[in-house]
Structures are given as C-alpha cells and as structure tokens.
Amino acid sequence: MSDIQHTNTVAAASAKLVVDSVTKRFSLGKGREVQAIADASFIVDENEICTILGSSGCGKSTILRMMAGLERPTTGELRLDGSVITGPDKERGMVFQAYTSFDWLTVRGNVEYGMRINGVPKPERRARTQKFIDLVNLGGFEDAYPSQLSGGMKQRVAIARTLANDPALLLMDEPFGALDAETRWHMQELLVGIAETANTTMVMVTHDIEEAIYLGDKIVFMSSHPGRVHKIIVPEFKQGKRYKSKEEVIGLDGYGVLEKEIMRMMQEQGANDER
Amino acid sequence: MTNSSNRAAPTPWFQLRKPVSSKQSILSAIFIWALFFAVWEGVSLAGLVNDLLVPAPHTVLTTLVDMLVNRGLVSDILISVWRVVFSFSIACAVAIPLGVAMGAFPAIEAVFNPFVSAWRYLPAPSFIPILLMWFGTGETPKLVLLVIGVVFFLITIIMDHTREVRTELVETGLTLGGKRWTIVRTIILPAVLPHVLTAMRQMLAVTWTYLVIAEIVASTTGVGAMMMRARRFLHTDEIMAGIIVIGVLGLCFDILFRRAHRWFFPYIQDRRN
Ligand SMILES: Nc1ncnc2c1ncn2[C@@H]1O[C@H](COP(=O)(O)OP(=O)(O)O)[C@@H](O)[C@H]1O
Ligand SMILES: [Mg+2]
C-alpha cells in the first residue's frame, strides 16, 4: 500500500480544480450508510485532460457528480479556481453516459440551449452554435432531430451542447460507454481534437484502461470498498504530448508497460475485494 | 429442398407478430363493421326480433338523416360538444400546470397529492344530487360534474408522467446553468407534453361518458336528453341514432387528437408506418 498518494491538504498554484480530503457517505435509510468515497485528494491542472479510472462501483461517478455540484461531499471540499463548489453551475458542464439529447429540439436547438437560457445574444449564439456543431463533425445535421441520429452522434451533440456553453470544466461520465468499439475509437480521437481547439479542462470517468491511457494527461486510478484514490499516474511515455491517432499511442513502447501495470493493480484490487 | 421452400410463409397476411399493411388494416376494419350491420339487418329482416325494440340499421340511418336535416339534432349535438369542450378545457387548464408542478417539485406534491388522490375515489355521479341543489338545473351543474369527473385523474396521470422525466435531463439542465423554473419550462414541460396530450385524449373519452350521464339525468338539451325524450315515445330508432352520433363524435375527437400529436410532436417517429 506504499503507492497510495494522497495528502490531507492539496494546494498547488497551477491547480484548476482541487479535490481536497473529500469523503462521501450515502444514507440508505434506517440509519444504514454506504461509504462511497473515503478521503480522496487530487488536483486537475488548467487545460488538462484528467481520466478517472477504476472498476465499477468504486465511486467514480460520485466524485464526478461532486465536481458538477450535483452531490455534496460529506466532509472535505472541492474548489474550482479557488472557490468552493456548492451546487451545479454552467461553469461545470456534464455529459452523461445515458443519452441526454432534448428530443424536442433539433441538433441546432440542442447545441444552443445553454446559451439561450443564459441570455447570450442571438448573433453570437448562432455563430457559436455553428462553430461547435462543426467541431464535432455534425455539419449538415443542424436541422435533424436526435431520434434520427446514431448513438455516437447523440453523444457528439451532448459534447457540443456543453462546450458551446463555455464551461471552465467539462465533466464526462463514461460518455462513450454505450457505443460500439469502432465508434468509441473515433469519438476518442475526436475528443483529442476538441481538447486542442476548445482549450477546456476535462475530467472523464472511464473503466476502459485503453481509453484512460490514450486520453489522460493524468490518470486518477481508484480502488474500491470504500472508494479511494489508489494512485495518480502521469503517462510519462507520451512526453506531455497529445496524439490525434490512437493507434500511434498504442504502438509506443511505454504504452504496453503502463497498461500491464494498471491491469496488475486492477487484479490486486479484485483479489482484495474477494477477501 | 421442397420441404424448406414449402415452409416459406404461404399466408403473408397472417403471420405471428408481424405488423399488417395499412391496406389490410383498413379492409379488416371495414369487414368487421360490415359484418355487424349485415347480421343486424339480417336478423331484422328475418323478423327474429321485435322491430319496435330493435329497428333495422337502415331505419336507424334514415331516422338519423331526417333528424339531422329536419328535426334540430344539430343544435343538440352542438350543445353537447360545447359542454364537453368547455368543461374539458377548464379541467386541462387546472390539471396541466398543477400536475407538472407536482411531478417536478415533491414539495408541491406533498401538499396536493393527499387531497387529489382522495377525490379520485369519489365517483363523480354521486355529486349530481348536491350539484342540482346548489346550482339548479342550468348549465353549471353539468359543467361542474364533467370537470370533477376528469380533473383529478388528469392531475394524477400528468404528475406520474412528469415524475418519469429522466433525472439526467434535469441534471444536464442544471449543469448548463438552468434555474429551477427555467428547467421546468424548457426541459420538464416539453419532455412531458406528448404524454399530456395522450392523457388528454384518453380522459376526453371519459368526459363524454359523464356528459351522457349528466344529460340523461338532468337536462332538456343535448344528445343525451334527446335520447331520454325518445324513450318516452318508444322511438328506439332515435335512441340508436343518438348512440351512433355519440360514437362518431368520440371517434372524431380521437382522430383530432392523433392528428394534433403528429402535428405538435413531429420528432416522435411513428413506428407503425
Ligand atoms: N445516490 C446514491 N445512494 C446510495 N448509494 C449510492 C448512491 N450513488 C452511489 N452510491 C453507491 O456509491 C458507490 C459508488 O458508486 P458510483 O460512484 O456510481 O461508482 P462508479 O461510478 O465507479 O461505478 C456504490 O457502492 C453505489 O452503490
Ligand atoms: Mg458510474
């Protein structure tokens, strides 16, 4: 257990998002409780893509939902740009695994929704809407309804809708989890391009090791029962670069090494859980 | 070889759980009604029934046309339709905002639901005597009966559908910067509206039921009252004409609502066609 890296207080000058000694217990009624998160601390830097990796039930969604302000931590706090997160806000946009397209709006209506309720003037709204529709390669589908789109296209609408609202933080909870393998691959590569253009800090939850390594500038590896930050991994072999091609990353020497290490940690986890 | 080719569907119009073509469904509908009227006509012509009690369909149709053209049935129909439309509009004006608010905010539900769900179990016709005492024999008691007959069911159905709007949609709205009422107006309401229209379609049929009860019990105008008048003079053909009119009116409103559904919610793909 020597490789658990967490300190009780985290304060870094460059930190965009700070998760500071956070615990979360859910009440199950009749006085029973479940400890979803036990003392998690880590930071996410400005413009970083941070992936949160861990087996199912280890508390990934709970942490992300606390970042969004959809759940409150039991103890500890989360800070964005130094101010404590107390509730949901347009600064922290969230993309869910389940499709959340507004079926009654066209693709254009969906993407401009956030700007509309936040009172962005129409000309600017129209321009930004088009920009983000193009960014997620949905040009030509502006007037289509979500029911006419494939799963991957619906998730691209959700990403464009969130980004067009100009959040400081883009939160994604297994956004490609429901997609088939090939579409997922395309979406991951697309996301790297989006990160380059949109200049947004991203936190993405996944249980897919490949996805976590390919996309993550930093990987927060979590262990379960109760959920903890087990290890914070910076994939050094990528040398701080982002690659448009996933194949290229998987082909790098360091990739296999890191993948094996993470798999080993996951297996240890599984063994611990069974005890 | 021959066996396998023999197994290829010999009757394409009669398959397990395969949707039928629209032509086949229209023909089938015509068939069952034609059969019904043919049997009825046949039984009447053969003298198997007392034609004072069961007039032949052609007699009923002739009477119906005569009543429409010469005997003021149209004004009875208009009065009945007006009662239904007016009282149903009032019921919707109350039920839609309240049902959506109750489904969206548990705090509002906690106040109104104990009240609404109790009223639902009181059969509306049991209020007829007291309504007649309070409001006399004018339009009011009928309209009130129709409203209390459907409004509580409408509220409950709309509330249930509103509760079922997926949490992720609401949370998406929250992380896009939506305030509570903005989300109710721009996400919850549009998400639930198709279900509201369906609920309206179903409850309008119930309104017709109460209308006929109200007009039979306490009215001198409207289709129901016309049928009660006819009973006094043993005019079974007129009673049956009245039944047909009510059926056709119900069907028309149903078609109207289906059209409206397609018109207002073009994004919902029609799986049948
Ligand atoms: N609203 C809730 N009420 C009770 N328990 C919850 C709630 N949300 C999550 N949990 C529990 O917290 C733990 C972590 O859940 P979650 O964050 O969804 O895990 P993950 O996303 O990693 O699969 C699980 O044991 C789950 O059952
Ligand atoms: Mg999860």
Side-chain angles (χ1 to χ4, degrees):
Chain A
M1 285 301 206
S2 61
D3 50 2
I4 296 178
Q5 293 185 358
H6 62 74
T7 53
N8 278 334
T9 43
V10 189
S14 68
K16 181 80 177 168
L17 175 74
V18 179
V19 179
D20 189 355
S21 320
V22 164
T23 66
K24 178 69 186 178
R25 285 190 292 275
F26 287 107
S27 158
L28 298 176
K30 295 181 190 154
R32 290 186 307 131
E33 284 192 330
V34 58
Q35 174 114 20
I37 305 290
D39 197 25
S41 296
F42 60 93
I43 59 171
V44 179
D45 290 323
E46 178 111 48
N47 288 342
E48 189 170 55
I49 302 182
C50 170
T51 52
I52 300 180
L53 177 65
S55 51
S56 165
C58 72
K60 306 182 294 294
S61 297
T62 304
I63 287 219
L64 201 75
R65 290 173 60 80
M66 287 192 285
M67 291 175 181
L70 296 170
E71 303 280 2
R72 299 290 304 275
T74 309
T75 63
E77 62 183 30
L78 299 94
R79 292 187 295 273
L80 180 71
D81 292 322
S83 45
V84 177
I85 295 170
T86 55
D89 189 271
K90 72 182 181 67
E91 285 290 281
R92 287 163 275 117
M94 178 113 157
V95 175
F96 295 83
Q97 174 175 355
Y99 302 134
T100 54
S101 340
F102 300 143
D103 291 340
W104 53 95
L105 298 176
T106 59
V107 168
R108 182 184 287 115
N110 267 277
V111 175
E112 74 172 4
Y113 172 85
M115 293 182 281
R116 192 156 51 77
I117 63 170
N118 288 304
V120 174
K122 196 164 182 178
E124 186 191 338
R125 203 164 81 203
R126 284 281 137 134
R128 281 183 69 81
T129 302
Q130 197 57 51
K131 176 183 158 194
F132 284 95
I133 288 176
D134 292 339
L135 183 64
V136 298
N137 290 338
L138 281 177
F141 289 93
E142 288 86 350
D143 296 315
Y145 282 105
S147 61
Q148 301 164 308
L149 304 180
S150 69
M153 290 160 97
K154 284 184 197 167
Q155 287 308 66
R156 280 186 269 161
V157 171
I159 291 171
R161 180 177 59 191
T162 314
L163 286 175
N165 206 31
D166 199 21
L169 191 59
L170 173 61
L171 304 168
M172 291 174 285
D173 193 350
E174 309 200 23
F176 311 141
L179 307 179
D180 62 84
E182 194 188 333
T183 311
R184 188 160 54 212
W185 185 295
H186 282 305
M187 294 288 289
Q188 290 161 351
E189 295 191 335
L190 183 72
L191 198 67
V192 170
I194 290 172
E196 291 302 300
T197 319
N199 266 330
T200 318
T201 313
M202 298 187 189
V203 181
M204 177 175 179
V205 160
T206 179
H207 61 250
D208 176 352
I209 299 178
E210 213 177 83
E211 183 168 85
I213 300 177
Y214 170 56
L215 291 175
D217 302 324
K218 174 193 283 169
I219 304 165
V220 175
F221 182 75
M222 292 186 62
S223 58
S224 44
H225 306 298
R228 298 177 185 279
V229 176
H230 186 73
K231 188 168 185 182
I232 294 184
I233 303 159
V234 177
E236 302 286 356
F237 73 93
K238 291 202 284 186
Q239 296 173 317
K241 277 192 290 189
R242 289 186 187 149
Y243 295 78
K244 282 274 165 65
S245 152
K246 185 173 169 186
E247 206 173 351
E248 203 179 330
V249 174
I250 292 179
L252 293 174
D253 282 341
Y255 176 85
V257 179
L258 183 55
E259 188 183 35
K260 278 209 195 71
E261 192 192 331
I262 294 176
M263 275 169 146
R264 187 184 50 75
M265 287 195 293
M266 277 198 160
Q267 272 155 10
E268 278 173 12
Q269 279 292 303
N272 280 341
D273 284 353
E274 268 157 43
R275 247 176 259 149
Chain B
M1 275 306 277
T2 41
N3 260 352
S4 68
S5 62
N6 279 348
R7 252 183 243 137
T11 48
W13 51 272
F14 196 73
Q15 290 301 305
L16 252 172
R17 312 197 71 163
K18 286 269 160 31
V20 299
S21 69
S22 59
K23 187 176 149 202
Q24 187 183 342
S25 67
I26 291 172
L27 286 177
S28 305
I30 293 175
F31 165 77
I32 188 70
W33 280 106
L35 183 69
F36 173 76
F37 283 108
V39 169
W40 179 4
E41 186 79 53
V43 166
S44 295
L45 286 180
L48 293 175
V49 287
N50 178 350
D51 66 354
L52 196 64
L53 293 180
V54 186
H58 72 264
T59 320
V60 173
L61 284 180
T62 318
T63 307
L64 178 57
V65 171
D66 180 46
M67 291 172 83
L68 284 170
V69 176
N70 304 318
R71 292 198 269 151
L73 180 58
V74 174
S75 76
D76 278 322
I77 291 175
L78 288 180
I79 284 186
S80 293
V81 168
W82 178 82
R83 283 173 185 152
V84 165
V85 170
F86 186 77
S87 54
F88 191 68
S89 307
I90 292 176
C92 290
V94 173
I96 296 172
L98 189 58
V100 170
M102 286 166 72
F105 296 102
I108 298 180
E109 184 200 322
V111 173
F112 288 99
N113 205 23
F115 186 76
V116 169
S117 51
W119 279 86
R120 256 190 323 151
Y121 290 104
L122 297 171
S126 65
F127 290 93
I128 293 179
I130 196 92
L131 291 176
L132 288 174
M133 286 182 65
W134 286 345
F135 302 111
T137 49
E139 283 303 299
T140 322
K142 293 162 200 114
L143 297 177
V144 173
L145 176 75
L146 299 201
V147 172
I148 59 180
V150 294
V151 74
F152 299 108
F153 283 96
L154 258 183
I155 293 172
T156 308
I157 298 171
I158 292 172
M159 174 185 74
D160 285 343
H161 282 299
T162 307
R163 275 206 211 115
E164 277 163 29
V165 172
R166 284 166 46 227
T167 309
E168 286 101 337
L169 295 187
V170 173
E171 292 183 335
T172 298
L174 287 170
T175 69
L176 287 170
K179 302 281 169 280
R180 277 172 304 186
W181 286 101
T182 310
I183 288 172
V184 172
R185 193 169 44 81
T186 59
I187 296 178
I188 294 180
L189 188 63
V192 83
L193 269 185
H195 301 290
V196 169
L197 199 67
T198 305
M200 284 169 66
R201 200 184 96 212
Q202 288 158 354
M203 292 315 292
L204 189 66
V206 177
T207 312
W208 277 104
T209 308
Y210 287 123
L211 171 88
V212 174
I213 293 174
E215 287 183 346
I216 283 179
V217 174
S219 184
T220 52
T221 51
V223 180
M226 176 280 285
M227 289 159 71
M228 281 310 271
R229 267 200 315 275
R231 187 194 70 118
R232 237 179 284 146
F233 305 104
L234 299 178
H235 290 161
T236 34
D237 52 342
E238 292 182 11
I239 298 179
M240 288 190 174
I243 293 174
I244 289 175
V245 165
I246 290 167
V248 169
L249 285 176
L251 192 66
C252 288
F253 275 101
D254 203 71
I255 291 171
L256 215 65
F257 267 93
R258 279 175 201 275
R259 281 280 154 80
H261 206 279
R262 241 173 281 163
W263 173 266
F264 286 120
F265 313 117
Y267 55 87
I268 296 175
Q269 287 187 331
D270 197 348
R271 293 239 164 64
R272 283 187 340 140
N273 300 328

